[in-house]
Amino acid sequence: MSAILLSASASFAVFAGAEPNTHQIIIQGGEYIPAELTIQVGDTVQWINKDFIPHTATAQDEAQQVLWDTGNLNKGDSAEVQFTEVGLSEYICLYHPVMKAQITVEAVL
Amino acid sequence: MKKFTVSALAFAAAISTTAAVAGPMNDLEIAHTAYTAGNLDIRYAHLALAISEDATVREFAQTMLRDHAAVNDEAVALITKLKVTPQDNDLSKALVKGAADKRAELMGLSGKKFDCAYAQNELGYHQVVNKTVANEFIPNVTVAPLKELLSNALVTFKLHEGHAENMVKKLSC
Ligand SMILES: [Cu+2]
């Protein structure tokens, strides 16, 4: 039984580079941690708000149209966004626009 | 001579600090003043939402309502848990009086004049409050959970100070 599990996890490890991952960003002290993150296309990012004030993580284009948005995150809330396009995604908190961060989405090799 | 000037300045700063806080404040007075400062900013925000038609000003005011409510909820939870009653004091009274005067002034304004006066007041208010919280309240407070609450609140108020700075710039008053 444990041998099967081992071989299963071994084969998973071989293809790990192509498997979509989930990355975590902590919002604490009015900052996104980490503020810069590089992921692969298809990956998911999860934001967790550890402050007691609400925040968002929101990307907008130059015309202020929302590209993606976690929505309102109260204390302890989390939300996930999956990234399906390659490129640089800069985002802010809609409530505190001084909070800025970015995600770089790379093609899967 | 130079030495004398420096120490005289330091002395003047100490006096004005002492005068501002009317002697060393205890934990219950600090809690009262911090809570009062948040509530006063909520009142300014309600005024802004009633008068301003500027999107930047309204968004800022909404953030003040959202955040100061969250901070004050935490404060009430802590006060309830510690079973204490915050104490009114001279600094709280001075803040309340100053804010009442400012609200009266703001109520007489509209349009861009209101937006600029509100934005500049928010910047100045957060600067003064943040300085007081950082230099007076946090070093003097003795109860650990209150110190932690004030430190978290200061992070929030600093976001507001930066936000207010940008709002003043954007309005090009
Ligand atoms: Cu925020």
Side-chain angles (χ1 to χ4, degrees):
Chain A
M1 190 59 196
S2 70
I4 292 166
L5 272 177
L6 268 177
S7 81
S9 63
S11 74
F12 176 77
V14 171
F15 298 106
E19 294 286 328
N21 287 311
T22 296
H23 309 261
Q24 238 174 38
I25 296 178
I26 306 293
I27 310 177
Q28 193 160 30
E31 286 176 27
Y32 300 102
I33 306 163
E36 290 181 19
L37 179 68
T38 300
I39 64 171
Q40 291 193 323
V41 72
D43 284 359
T44 295
V45 176
Q46 181 190 49
W47 283 265
I48 304 173
N49 181 16
K50 297 205 168 173
D51 279 340
F52 53 60
I53 52 168
H55 295 291
T56 77
T58 310
Q60 296 170 308
D61 65 13
E62 279 159 21
Q64 302 233 306
Q65 291 293 324
V66 172
L67 301 172
W68 53 263
D69 183 17
T70 59
N72 180 77
L73 297 175
N74 287 331
K75 173 185 172 183
D77 284 354
S78 65
E80 294 183 355
V81 174
Q82 191 187 18
F83 289 82
T84 53
E85 278 176 42
V86 170
L88 173 69
S89 216
E90 292 175 313
Y91 65 96
I92 60 164
C93 171
L94 279 182
Y95 304 152
H96 313 103
V98 291
M99 294 171 60
K100 291 178 179 150
Q102 62 181 51
I103 290 169
T104 306
V105 186
E106 292 181 339
V108 178
L109 297 176
Chain B
M1 188 59 198
K2 199 175 180 189
K3 222 174 190 173
F4 176 75
T5 311
V6 169
S7 78
L9 272 177
F11 188 57
I15 285 182
S16 76
T17 297
T18 310
V21 302
M25 293 169 74
N26 67 36
D27 287 4
L28 296 177
E29 290 174 326
I30 288 172
H32 189 280
T33 302
Y35 190 80
T36 301
N39 272 341
L40 292 174
D41 204 36
I42 287 174
R43 295 196 63 175
Y44 284 133
H46 281 301
L47 191 59
L49 291 173
I51 295 179
S52 180
E53 288 169 10
D54 183 276
T56 305
V57 169
R58 296 185 67 85
E59 276 163 25
F60 180 89
Q62 261 145 5
T63 288
M64 294 309 104
L65 290 186
R66 200 185 297 113
D67 288 359
H68 285 291
V71 172
N72 279 357
D73 283 353
E74 293 288 322
V76 168
L78 180 61
I79 287 162
T80 309
K81 195 176 136 202
L82 297 176
K83 297 193 177 91
V84 293
T85 308
Q87 265 172 27
D88 200 0
N89 58 83
D90 288 347
L91 185 53
S92 284
K93 287 191 177 100
L95 278 176
V96 169
K97 172 77 173 71
D101 293 347
K102 194 70 197 178
R103 277 199 310 275
E105 179 196 325
L106 288 170
M107 273 188 264
L109 304 174
S110 61
K112 176 116 186 173
K113 275 192 179 150
F114 174 87
D115 293 339
C116 285
Y118 171 74
Q120 274 153 354
N121 184 55
E122 283 300 302
L123 178 56
Y125 188 73
H126 280 92
Q127 283 169 341
V128 170
V129 169
N130 290 353
K131 228 179 183 173
T132 309
V133 171
N135 302 340
E136 307 292 332
F137 291 1
I138 293 174
N140 287 331
V141 87
T142 62
V143 175
L146 183 54
K147 202 185 269 277
E148 196 191 326
L149 176 67
L150 287 170
S151 304
N152 287 334
L154 183 60
V155 169
T156 298
F157 300 163
K158 281 194 172 157
L159 284 177
H160 296 170
E161 188 180 326
H163 196 166
E165 235 173 79
N166 290 343
M167 172 169 62
V168 168
K169 265 185 228 151
K170 203 167 167 185
L171 290 170
S172 47
C173 298

